[in-house]
Amino acid sequence: MGAALLVVVGRVLPRTVNDVLAIAAAVATCAGLLQVWLRAGDGRVVSWSGGWTMKGGESVGIVLVGDRIGIGLALLVSILILAVLGYSWRYFDEPPERHRGSFPALLLLFEAGMCGFALTGDLFNAFVFFELMGVVAYALTGYHVEDPRPLHGALTFGVVNSLAAYCSLLGIGLLYARTGELGMAQIGSHLAAHRPDALLVTAFVLVVVSMLVKAAIVPFHFWLPDAHAVAPTPVCMLMSGVMVELGVYGTARVYHAVFAGRHGIPADAFEHTMVAAGAVTGVVGAVMCWQQRHLKRLLAFSTIGHTGLFLVGLGLLSPGGAAGTAVYVAGHAGAKAALFGLVGVLLDRYGSVDEHALHARGRELRGAGVLFLAGGLALAGLPPFGTGLGKSIAEHAAGGSGPWLPALYVLVSAVTGAAVLRAGLRVFFGAGPAPRRTHADLETSGEGEEPEIRDPRRPVPRTMTAVPAVLLALCLAIGAVPAVAAAVARGARAFTDHAGYLASVRSGAAEAVSAAPEAAWTSPGVLLGLLSAGLAAAMACAAVWRPSQVLRSVLAPGERHLVVPLRRLHSGLLGDYVMWLTVGMAALLVAVGSQL
């Protein structure tokens, strides 16, 4: 409604009024979602649009189903939208009259798509909301359409994600052909009467592939760093902060609601496939993150690494893994959005996001520098940040599968945090010698970027540092206030309960669930958090000051025998990315089908 209002009257209203209307709509959405989150309690809230409820186990109606994980994710979306609207208050130039109000209207449409996807209980409407989210994301990525780079990034983003969306629609068609239903619960009930076969496996892979593409899971991840490198900074805050995570959430939601029954996709097949994909994604994201000097691409690959950890946590199919991942996602959203906001300060001030070119130039922005280092430590899992608490809970849940999964959490968080700390020390504090400026074909520098404002002489608007400070404070509060994680943990039990989901939709009433998993700091969790943060700080210092030739050969970014092929795969060519989409789909079909 807010977006429609801005489209209708935004052209004739002053910019300030448009911003106030957009913020009012975002605040109203936050208030409504908070009320629903409190009402859901430890169970679910079910609402049938137009009163078209189920009759005899079948329905043509559209249902919304919210537990504390889904509603909480929608609430997180609304909070980040509110933060981005505040951050963007004076970020862009005054737009031409014909475009006035378009950016906040697009943000509100983006919010509608993401919130609808988090709350829908209808598989086709999940596709519709997912596509609404995607189409708006393409437009926001290419918002500066006069520049060919954002246009290229938006087209790559749009083509790859649209092809994946067509696959999802085909999978939904296969499920509809078998069951005659589109509601997740109804499909799940009908599938209980069928043994798993090739059609079911094909439908499952086709449906989840679009979500794994949006989540940037390897090998579907290539579009994300290219899009982040050219998208406006406020858009990056949303894409890395919550849009990518919605892809992981959708994968787990569809499995638990539709395919987790006795005759669905076996739990072992889902767990082994998703944990393996998440582990590969985490390692690739961390390695590529360390290799970047373009700060937006650095943060984008960091998002890929952490999204791999999120997939591992949800792939465990345990309430503990879901609870830890939910807390981790909430903390990560605050930290990553704050870091992108601070990179926007550099772009605003210096017209560059190149770590090497910005060496020591940010000394005048010491406040932003302190916040940037705090964000790096948060990504590394330092207690008591919410990222550290979520990492601790997920590590505990993953410990039953052996020590290698907790080690993966430590490694990925340490390397991504170290890359951020390295950049912060160099840019904001001038630490170490100035990096050698190179122009290798494997490197993407951040020099020559077009500032997103046209008057670099202006002082940095206070909102551009105040909003990141608030977001980091929220990340800290998630880990320091026990009630937050406890409430999320109670919702995690309902999120992973297939039978309870089906019963709630059929009866229309919220149901209580069994005891929630532990979601509090533990001694091993604190120690592992300190270990990953300590490793991150040590790696960053070693890279900045380079105490020996040995450390330089191991830690410094450069052309290494194992890294060069990986970096060359990120070619920026659309045809290559479509090829990897095909390869990934085939690998998923083989991985899931071979375990039936």
Side-chain angles (χ1 to χ4, degrees):
M1 291 175 63
L5 179 63
L6 287 171
V7 169
V8 172
V9 303
R11 296 182 182 182
V12 298
L13 295 177
R15 176 176 179 176
T16 301
V17 176
N18 285 329
D19 290 343
V20 169
L21 287 175
I23 289 175
V27 169
T29 307
C30 287
L33 285 169
L34 179 60
Q35 183 182 11
V36 177
W37 192 79
L38 294 172
R39 180 184 173 188
D42 298 341
R44 301 171 189 85
V45 176
V46 178
S47 175
W48 289 89
S49 299
W52 289 84
T53 58
M54 295 179 65
K55 302 293 183 182
E58 298 181 350
S59 173
V60 296
I62 297 171
V63 64
L64 301 176
V65 184
D67 53 38
R68 279 194 163 171
I69 299 295
I71 299 168
L73 190 55
L75 182 59
L76 180 63
V77 168
S78 298
I79 292 172
L80 280 189
I81 287 285
L82 186 59
V84 166
L85 286 170
Y87 180 89
S88 308
W89 187 271
R90 284 291 178 267
Y91 188 64
F92 293 110
D93 289 334
E94 181 71 24
E97 182 177 329
R98 65 183 183 277
H99 297 315
R100 194 174 298 161
S102 60
F103 186 75
L106 285 171
L107 289 181
L108 292 179
L109 276 179
F110 200 25
E111 178 181 21
M114 291 189 285
C115 289
F117 179 77
L119 298 175
T120 186
D122 182 279
L123 198 55
F124 183 77
N125 274 68
F127 165 79
V128 171
F129 282 122
F130 210 53
E131 279 306 281
L132 173 62
M133 177 203 329
V135 169
V136 178
Y138 313 151
L140 287 169
T141 300
Y143 187 72
H144 292 297
V145 71
E146 69 280 359
D147 188 339
R149 291 174 300 178
L151 184 60
H152 179 268
L155 284 173
T156 301
F157 181 10
V159 170
V160 173
N161 280 265
S162 294
L163 288 173
Y166 298 148
C167 295
S168 179
L169 190 59
L170 180 59
I172 294 170
L174 292 176
L175 291 174
Y176 183 70
R178 166 154 293 185
T179 66
E181 293 284 354
L182 291 172
M184 294 185 191
Q186 297 93 301
I187 295 174
S189 297
H190 279 265
L191 290 180
H194 298 272
R195 292 285 181 181
D197 54 15
L199 185 146
L200 183 65
V201 173
T202 303
F204 169 74
V205 170
L206 288 172
V207 169
V208 302
V209 72
S210 67
M211 301 174 191
L212 294 177
V213 169
K214 198 77 78 182
I217 300 301
V218 173
F220 309 120
H221 69 289
F222 294 97
W223 64 268
L224 186 137
D226 291 350
H228 278 63
V230 297
T233 300
V235 179
C236 295
M237 294 169 69
L238 291 172
M239 290 200 298
S240 263
V242 72
M243 186 197 77
V244 170
E245 289 78 0
L246 276 166
V248 180
Y249 163 83
T251 302
R253 169 62 81 194
V254 167
Y255 177 78
H256 285 299
V258 178
F259 295 99
R262 184 165 56 94
H263 295 314
I265 302 296
D268 286 346
F270 181 86
E271 180 180 354
H272 295 160
T273 302
M274 295 305 159
V275 169
V280 172
T281 302
V283 172
V284 170
V287 170
M288 289 299 298
C289 173
W290 181 259
Q291 296 294 317
Q292 302 304 307
R293 54 187 275 196
H294 188 294
L295 294 180
K296 281 189 173 183
R297 295 179 70 88
L298 183 153
L299 294 177
F301 278 111
S302 168
T303 297
I304 292 172
H306 284 272
T307 303
L309 299 183
F310 301 154
L311 186 62
V312 168
L314 291 178
L316 296 172
L317 298 180
S318 66
T325 302
V327 176
Y328 205 164
V329 165
H332 176 267
K336 185 57 62 67
L339 287 169
F340 267 111
L342 294 168
V343 170
V345 172
L346 295 173
L347 184 56
D348 180 294
R349 189 72 173 175
Y350 306 111
S352 173
V353 290
D354 187 275
E355 177 186 337
H356 294 181
L358 288 171
H359 182 266
R361 293 181 67 185
R363 283 175 171 169
E364 60 182 321
L365 303 172
R366 284 300 174 90
V370 171
L371 292 175
F372 199 86
L373 294 184
L377 292 172
L379 288 186
L382 178 68
F385 284 103
T387 46
L389 178 57
K391 171 176 165 291
S392 171
I393 300 169
E395 285 168 344
H396 178 74
S401 301
W404 73 275
L405 281 181
L408 176 71
Y409 277 86
V410 171
L411 174 66
V412 172
S413 56
V415 174
T416 54
V420 174
L421 293 174
R422 180 197 71 205
L425 288 172
R426 281 176 171 166
V427 173
F428 293 101
F429 297 92
R436 181 172 59 90
R437 307 279 286 277
T438 63
H439 300 282
D441 65 333
L442 291 174
E443 290 191 301
T444 302
S445 75
E447 296 183 85
E449 294 291 326
E450 188 73 17
E452 292 169 339
I453 52 94
R454 295 290 181 267
D455 185 10
R457 296 169 298 177
R458 70 167 188 177
V460 176
R462 292 183 180 180
T463 53
M464 292 180 62
T465 51
V467 169
V470 171
L471 290 171
L472 285 172
L474 289 175
C475 178
L476 185 62
I478 290 168
V481 179
V484 176
V488 170
R490 292 195 297 270
R493 179 70 70 176
F495 180 77
T496 56
D497 182 10
H498 173 72
Y501 182 92
L502 270 57
S504 294
V505 175
R506 284 196 296 264
S507 65
E511 294 187 0
V513 293
S514 55
E518 290 293 328
W521 289 106
T522 61
S523 297
V526 172
L527 291 176
L528 287 176
L530 293 174
L531 173 62
S532 59
L535 286 174
M539 292 178 65
C541 291
V544 169
W545 282 285
R546 300 182 178 184
S548 68
Q549 183 68 30
V550 175
L551 280 176
R552 182 163 63 251
S553 65
V554 174
L555 296 174
E559 300 178 18
R560 300 289 177 257
H561 296 297
L562 296 178
V563 176
V564 168
L566 181 60
R567 295 184 70 164
R568 289 195 185 278
L569 291 179
H570 299 78
S571 62
L573 301 177
L574 178 58
D576 292 351
Y577 296 173
V578 174
M579 182 271 292
W580 282 111
L581 172 63
T582 307
V583 170
M585 288 178 57
L588 281 176
L589 282 168
V590 172
V592 176
S594 64
Q595 299 181 64
L596 291 182

